[in-house]
Amino acid sequence: MKSCPGCGASLQEGASFCEYCGAQVRTEHTVPQSDPEKSPGAENSGRLHSREGGHSGPQVALRTVSPVFMLLLSFLTFLFYPVLWVFLRRKAFDSMVPEKKLGLVLPLAFLAATVLFVAAGNIEKLPELASSLSFEEKESLTGWSFLAWFASMTMISFRMRTILRKYASRTDGSPLAANLVARSSAMTFFFQFLYIQQHINMLVESGLAERE
């Protein structure tokens, strides 16, 4: 039985996380070498048994990036990097859980809300449009566009959180990953994509997902 590298506690077979301290435990997989005297059926059976002690479901390839780098790029690109971030990960999230997908509607709504919010914040750079609106109308446009932008981002974040948790529960051989991956609703609400990316990185580092 393996021991946790963080606290030294005994780990369950196939666990990717320690149930005592929450430390990530990378699970190494060994594929038995083929024996010319064995039949192909016996070799495939050996590979199946080698996976039973580790991950119990198919893995997807996920992009890893530092949340700090994400925050910096968001400011440098005037909030358009989060849109790109979503579209680059949409295909992977759609393949994680059959009954729960990110889809295309929410990312497109987020793109439209981002364009509207950025345009409303820079409306003074459009003299003809700015002169046709009163101060109250400009404030109202900015406020409503911000709400649309934040609401669409929040819906995507919680959809991704649900997919990550379902994927972790199916992929890990123990229930620990499902209890640790993206478990905080408050963190999801306040940190949005930064929190989601942190747990994407965690899944990759623990061996529950491949690195794209």
Side-chain angles (χ1 to χ4, degrees), residues 59-140:
Q59 296 185 17
V60 299
L62 295 171
R63 294 173 180 262
T64 59
V65 65
S66 168
V68 176
F69 187 62
M70 287 177 59
L71 189 61
L72 177 62
L73 282 179
S74 298
F75 285 110
L76 293 178
T77 59
F78 300 98
L79 302 180
F80 279 100
Y81 174 74
V83 177
L84 177 63
W85 181 89
V86 170
F87 277 95
L88 288 176
R89 286 153 182 80
R90 185 182 67 85
K91 186 176 180 180
F93 271 81
D94 283 346
S95 64
M96 279 182 162
V97 183
E99 71 275 10
K100 196 73 172 181
K101 298 182 182 297
L102 181 59
L104 189 59
V105 175
L106 281 177
L108 287 176
F110 181 50
L111 172 61
T114 302
V115 172
L116 179 62
F117 179 48
V118 173
N122 294 274
I123 196 170
E124 296 299 334
K125 296 181 179 180
L126 303 172
E128 295 182 359
L129 180 60
S131 59
S132 64
L133 298 175
S134 64
F135 177 79
E136 290 78 10
E137 289 174 332
K138 294 177 185 177
E139 290 294 311
S140 178

Side-chain angles (χ1 to χ4, degrees), residues 87-199:
F87 277 95
L88 288 176
R89 286 153 182 80
R90 185 182 67 85
K91 186 176 180 180
F93 271 81
D94 283 346
S95 64
M96 279 182 162
V97 183
E99 71 275 10
K100 196 73 172 181
K101 298 182 182 297
L102 181 59
L104 189 59
V105 175
L106 281 177
L108 287 176
F110 181 50
L111 172 61
T114 302
V115 172
L116 179 62
F117 179 48
V118 173
N122 294 274
I123 196 170
E124 296 299 334
K125 296 181 179 180
L126 303 172
E128 295 182 359
L129 180 60
S131 59
S132 64
L133 298 175
S134 64
F135 177 79
E136 290 78 10
E137 289 174 332
K138 294 177 185 177
E139 290 294 311
S140 178
L141 177 62
T142 302
W144 283 109
S145 61
F146 170 77
L147 286 177
W149 173 78
F150 186 79
S152 59
M153 181 170 59
T154 301
M155 286 189 289
I156 292 176
S157 296
F158 275 91
R159 176 70 62 86
M160 285 182 160
R161 173 181 179 261
T162 300
I163 294 173
L164 280 180
R165 291 179 61 80
K166 287 181 177 292
Y167 172 80
S169 66
R170 291 187 177 189
T171 308
D172 192 15
S174 69
L176 302 179
N179 295 330
L180 292 173
V181 173
R183 61 181 174 181
S184 174
S185 300
M187 294 288 284
T188 304
F189 180 80
F190 288 110
F191 294 98
Q192 305 277 342
F193 299 154
L194 301 178
Y195 183 67
I196 297 299
Q197 183 62 59
Q198 177 188 356
H199 287 271

